[in-house]
Amino acid sequence: MSDNAISGHYQSGNLEQRLSAALLQDGVDPMRPTIKDLTPYDQFHGRGLEATNELTSKLEINAGDQLLDVGSGIGGPARYFADRFKCIVTGIDLTEEFCSVARELTKRVGLQDDVTFHVGNALQMPFADASFAGAYSMNVSMNIADKTGLYREIHRVLQPGGWLALSELAKGPGEEMTYPTPWAATAASSFLATPADTRSNLEECGFTIESFEDASEKVIEYGKRARRMVEQGQKPPHRAVQLIHGEGATEAMKNTSRGVAEARIVPIEVICRKI
């Protein structure tokens, strides 16, 4: 599967305009949003900001730390980390439109000196060895077939003792997934590894596992809360999939929810460290 095929799944050409329209519907000036205004849309991973908050509670982050966001999307987590911890975040993503919108939103919230974004392949990152104190990747590896290549490259750019946090979807023991999903239109661009293989691959690449959690119950409960909000006439807390995929979002989200409920996929959250 080519890089263009992967990025094409996410790239629409009018993402910034659609986000501006969504913010206006929320009563927000698109040119002057706050980080809080953007969080329903710019946290493009399972459980959105809630998952990002939980992730940070497990990490050691100091002001001035250089962090790497692998698969940075439109930059929500990168801006969150930089704002909360006063650290410097570098994002890399395969999708050019994501990086363009990420840069623009970062300017609008005044964090352009602390957060930068690069268009590139996570298997060949343009960063020197031992550049970062920590790295994270949220719902990204499902599009990458070469998992050991990904983990080796992250290991290379981390400083000795640096941490890596992953929030991903793994292959479960149930039946094969039904597509489309938020990360793939068909099975041809979906590369799921089992939790056991994920652990083994990380260790093979020089990481020691500090925590490894099956987050299925948290994802299911989050989905129930979001549905209750909609039933009560409110907007759901996580609207990033709708923003990115438009009319195709409903089917993609239903397939994902079904996949978790039927153990076709397993949400996992992993903290590990470079040996």
Side-chain angles (χ1 to χ4, degrees):
M1 180 60 58
S2 71
D3 289 355
N4 287 340
I6 297 295
S7 62
H9 176 67
Y10 300 103
Q11 192 151 292
S12 66
N14 63 351
L15 180 57
E16 185 179 331
Q17 294 92 325
R18 289 190 286 113
L19 175 56
S20 292
L23 290 170
L24 283 171
Q25 288 185 347
D26 293 343
V28 174
D29 181 350
M31 300 306 297
R32 295 176 177 80
T34 65
I35 289 177
K36 183 178 180 181
D37 292 332
L38 295 173
T39 53
Y41 304 101
D42 67 4
Q43 304 274 336
F44 186 45
H45 52 267
R47 297 192 299 126
L49 180 62
E50 181 174 297
T52 307
N53 272 323
E54 287 187 11
L55 183 72
T56 58
S57 70
K58 304 174 183 178
L59 302 174
E60 302 169 7
I61 305 173
N62 300 307
D65 279 354
Q66 297 276 349
L67 303 185
L68 173 65
D69 184 332
V70 181
S72 47
I74 63 172
R79 289 185 290 273
Y80 172 92
F81 274 83
D83 180 66
R84 178 174 173 180
F85 297 102
K86 311 307 176 190
C87 55
I88 308 301
V89 186
T90 300
I92 185 168
D93 199 285
L94 200 59
T95 303
E96 185 172 354
E97 185 177 29
F98 277 2
C99 291
S100 175
V101 173
R103 294 185 191 108
E104 179 59 28
L105 295 176
T106 301
K107 289 180 184 176
R108 293 181 190 180
V109 299
L111 288 172
Q112 65 271 23
D113 292 336
D114 302 315
V115 185
T116 57
F117 299 95
H118 299 259
V119 179
N121 191 318
L123 298 175
Q124 296 177 310
M125 293 189 283
F127 310 125
D129 295 357
S131 294
F132 301 99
Y136 60 92
S137 185
M138 307 181 79
N139 283 31
V140 173
S141 73
M142 300 95 72
N143 285 135
I144 300 175
D146 184 5
K147 300 290 193 289
T148 55
L150 170 65
Y151 301 147
R152 284 197 184 101
E153 184 67 348
I154 296 173
H155 187 276
R156 178 185 69 80
V157 300
L158 280 176
Q159 297 166 6
W163 52 262
L164 168 62
L166 299 173
S167 178
E168 305 288 357
L169 292 173
K171 180 177 176 58
E175 298 179 1
E176 294 297 318
M177 278 295 295
T178 300
Y179 294 88
T181 64
W183 68 90
T186 70
S189 55
S190 179
F191 307 100
L192 303 176
T194 66
D197 284 342
T198 301
R199 179 187 289 271
S200 175
N201 290 338
L202 285 165
E203 291 175 339
E204 177 186 339
C205 293
F207 289 99
T208 181
I209 307 295
E210 296 188 346
S211 67
F212 200 110
E213 180 182 0
D214 178 337
S216 297
E217 291 304 316
K218 292 193 291 189
V219 169
I220 291 170
E221 194 276 332
Y222 183 89
K224 290 178 179 177
R225 278 189 279 131
R227 286 190 291 274
R228 284 196 298 269
M229 291 178 67
V230 173
E231 290 167 359
Q232 294 167 4
Q234 304 175 55
K235 292 184 178 182
H238 185 228
R239 306 193 281 279
V241 179
Q242 293 94 325
L243 172 69
I244 302 300
H245 292 305
E247 294 181 357
T250 299
E251 184 180 4
M253 293 171 69
K254 283 182 178 178
N255 287 337
T256 303
S257 295
R258 180 184 175 194
V260 175
E262 297 178 356
R264 300 178 183 215
I265 48 176
V266 179
I268 57 173
E269 297 175 357
V270 184
I271 306 294
C272 54
R273 195 170 294 275
K274 178 176 179 176
I275 299 172

